[in-house]
Amino acid sequence: QIEPHDYISKLFNLFVQFNIVLTDFDKDMWTYISAGYFKQIAKAGEVGSSTMPHKINPINFENSEGNLSVSNGLLCTLSMKLPISRLQRDLTDSTVLRNLGVGLGHSLLAYKATMQGIKKLEVNKVRLDEDLEQTWEVLAEPIQTVMRRYGIPEPYEKLKEMTRGQAVTKDSIRKFIEGLDLPEDAQSSLLKLTPHSYTGEAENLAANIWNVVDLKSGFKIK
């Protein structure tokens, strides 16, 4: 004697899944800001901290994260409750349905907060360059790839011995490369690499994302 609510449950489960992804994004952005990888553009009249007036807190991402938590709590409850009804005739759905707007409303507030936070971001190139300059160990990936190409035995183990728990510097990386039995052109290419210039396949993968991702099903099967 009641309308079946299965479609609402399915819809809200999709909202919950999206909100979980966005919560992860908010947390990542909060972390990047804390690490100094992003700066936030100051907004006139905005208070960042009650005791530290110089601070610009990632308040938009925090606001979004909080609203997503409230929204998912409500939407999960609704999606689990609404398909259940004693003999398809009790009226427990009546009071529950009054909270549809509340759950979706908190999601909307979260989406707006995240978008506002993104608009205030500015890449801190100086901080990124400083961090890259201290992480020459990222070149372990291209070095072992080239070592494998030319049949040098145990490339992973050799790099592990050189890098694991060690302070890896430009000089130590160069010394390691120069000690490898590689063709001159391959060795020269490796010596030109820096943490700033090496991106591996990242650029190519990003440029061809639509060849492997389908917004409806997730991933295309080739």
Side-chain angles (χ1 to χ4, degrees):
Q1 293 188 17
I2 68 165
E3 176 189 7
H5 301 308
D6 294 20
Y7 74 97
I8 298 177
S9 179
K10 182 178 180 180
L11 175 64
F12 284 3
N13 283 332
L14 293 173
F15 266 98
V16 169
Q17 291 173 31
F18 177 81
N19 289 350
I20 289 171
V21 174
L22 187 57
T23 298
D24 197 37
F25 175 82
D26 288 335
K27 289 177 180 287
D28 285 350
M29 295 312 302
W30 190 99
T31 304
Y32 291 143
I33 292 168
S34 298
Y37 295 162
F38 286 102
K39 294 186 289 185
Q40 295 184 101
I41 301 171
K43 182 180 179 181
E46 187 176 77
V47 177
S49 169
S50 59
T51 57
M52 293 175 280
H54 63 282
K55 287 190 70 178
I56 305 177
N57 286 330
I59 187 171
N60 297 106
F61 296 108
E62 293 173 341
N63 185 295
S64 174
E65 185 183 336
N67 275 294
L68 290 170
S69 179
V70 174
S71 178
N72 274 9
L74 285 166
L75 296 181
C76 280
T77 299
L78 290 166
S79 69
M80 289 187 293
K81 164 65 193 92
L82 288 174
I84 301 172
S85 177
R86 295 174 185 84
L87 302 177
Q88 295 76 52
R89 64 186 296 118
D90 78 38
L91 298 178
T92 53
D93 65 327
S94 177
T95 186
V96 174
L97 286 169
R98 295 169 189 165
N99 292 280
L100 296 182
V102 180
L104 293 173
H106 279 285
S107 282
L108 181 59
L109 288 173
Y111 304 157
K112 288 183 176 180
T114 296
M115 293 302 297
Q116 187 61 37
I118 292 172
K119 291 177 182 178
K120 292 165 61 176
L121 293 178
E122 185 178 84
V123 175
N124 188 350
K125 191 174 184 302
V126 173
R127 176 68 182 87
L128 290 173
D129 286 342
E130 290 174 352
D131 200 44
L132 284 169
E133 191 59 38
Q134 300 300 318
T135 53
W136 281 81
E137 58 268 24
V138 301
L139 297 183
E141 179 181 83
I143 292 172
Q144 66 173 302
T145 300
V146 173
M147 289 171 70
R148 286 192 176 92
R149 182 188 302 166
Y150 291 99
I152 296 178
E154 300 184 332
Y156 178 86
E157 288 73 15
K158 286 183 170 64
L159 277 159
K160 178 181 176 182
E161 183 180 350
M162 194 270 284
T163 61
R164 190 173 175 84
Q166 307 292 325
V168 182
T169 64
K170 178 181 179 179
D171 291 338
S172 65
I173 284 286
R174 288 185 64 88
K175 183 178 179 180
F176 181 84
I177 295 171
E178 289 168 350
L180 296 173
D181 184 18
L182 289 170
E184 185 177 343
D185 58 337
Q187 192 173 73
S188 177
S189 295
L190 285 178
L191 288 170
K192 291 177 182 177
L193 289 177
T194 71
H196 301 75
S197 63
Y198 175 69
T199 58
E201 282 292 291
E203 183 177 355
N204 183 51
L205 291 172
N208 293 283
I209 188 69
W210 301 118
N211 293 330
V212 294
V213 174
D214 188 305
L215 291 179
K216 291 184 178 180
S217 61
F219 290 94
K220 296 178 181 178
I221 299 177
K222 294 186 178 180

